[in-house]
Amino acid sequence: MENQNHFPYDFIDRVIISQADIETRVTALGERITHDYQDSEKLLLLGLLRGSVVFLTDLMRKIHRPITMDFMSVSSYSKSESTGFVRIDSDHKTNIRGWDVILIDDIVDSGYTIRTVRKLLLDREPKSLKTCALLDKPDRHKVDVKIDYLGFSIPDYFVVGYGLDYDEKGRNLPYIASIDLKKQKE
Ligand code: IMP
Ligand code: MG
């Protein structure tokens, strides 16, 4: 395990997915998407801001097909737990009608975000719609969600790094780490 004194944030407990393991998995996902969309001329990667940015920008360079990217910003109305109410803060710009869309998020927790956005996008009549997430916490699901392209399943930890944040901190870490709030100094 890495020396904890070397972590740039006090609240980090330990690395649960290394930079090398992320790279390997993202490359494999990119290869699968390249294969699955080899006949698609209109492939749109639609990321949810801000958590999916690091994952999406790495993944897109592993997809050897023409692609377009766009983003939406959504937030769940809650203090600590998801309530199921998902608010659209900023919508995508592309008219997705007729596009093959892959909706990309950093992590699936309760499942409300992916489920709600997916339903909304289906009304806009894309040619196809699939979902992709770097991480999934299956023990936390409150609704059924299908993740077509998944990086890793993890236990019920709160994690940061590779785009994911704790209170806007930790997005720049190149690995996924679990947090321990007792370690946080003010
Ligand atoms: P859901 O709607 O409950 O599935 O929530 C998904 C969203 O919650 C993700 O897009 C993240 O922004 C956030 N989230 C859930 N778990 C974590 C975590 O462990 N670390 C950082 N963000 C998380
Ligand atoms: Mg998010």
Side-chain angles (χ1 to χ4, degrees):
M1 198 165 71
E2 292 187 45
N3 181 340
Q4 292 179 350
N5 294 328
H6 292 164
F7 291 131
Y9 298 96
D10 292 335
F11 53 77
I12 292 175
D13 185 28
R14 64 191 176 90
V15 174
I16 65 162
I17 307 172
S18 70
Q19 185 172 2
D21 287 350
I22 295 172
E23 267 175 38
T24 305
R25 191 75 191 115
V26 170
T27 302
L29 286 176
E31 281 167 5
R32 264 183 60 202
I33 292 171
T34 302
H35 173 264
D36 292 353
Y37 289 85
Q38 56 193 317
D39 298 322
S40 169
E41 294 307 323
K42 290 173 90 176
L43 174 58
L44 174 72
L45 303 186
L46 180 48
L48 298 183
L49 294 171
R50 287 165 282 208
S52 75
V53 167
V54 177
F55 174 43
L56 187 151
T57 53
D58 277 351
L59 179 65
M60 67 191 277
R61 282 172 283 180
K62 302 294 181 188
I63 300 174
H64 305 293
R65 292 290 309 155
I67 65 127
T68 299
M69 70 168 162
D70 205 338
F71 295 96
M72 289 173 80
S73 178
V74 303
S75 46
S76 349
Y77 248 149
S78 63
K79 293 201 175 71
S80 55
E81 294 279 303
S82 277
T83 54
F85 182 79
V86 177
R87 186 182 68 193
I88 310 296
D89 295 323
S90 148
D91 215 335
H92 59 85
K93 303 284 187 287
T94 319
N95 177 355
I96 63 170
R97 190 175 189 153
W99 282 77
D100 292 309
V101 177
I102 304 179
L103 172 62
I104 302 185
D105 204 1
D106 51 359
I107 186 165
V108 177
D109 185 4
S110 68
Y112 284 125
T113 303
I114 283 270
R115 191 182 68 156
T116 307
V117 177
R118 195 175 163 277
K119 278 191 189 161
L120 176 91
L121 296 178
L122 282 175
D123 282 345
R124 298 174 177 178
E125 302 182 341
K127 184 175 174 207
S128 67
L129 178 59
K130 289 198 175 177
T131 52
C132 172
L134 177 71
L135 303 172
D136 182 30
K137 295 195 266 195
D139 297 344
R140 305 252 319 160
H141 287 190
K142 289 191 182 147
V143 287
D144 265 349
V145 279
K146 181 166 178 275
I147 310 168
D148 298 294
Y149 300 102
L150 174 66
F152 303 90
S153 269
I154 61 167
D156 181 9
Y157 299 145
F158 198 88
V159 293
V160 295
Y162 201 67
L164 290 96
D165 72 303
Y166 166 63
D167 199 16
E168 291 304 323
K169 294 183 261 284
R171 296 193 196 273
N172 57 320
L173 300 169
Y175 43 75
I176 298 290
S178 57
I179 72 170
D180 179 351
L181 292 179
K182 290 191 289 289
K183 287 191 179 164
Q184 189 173 20
K185 296 180 204 134
E186 282 305 327

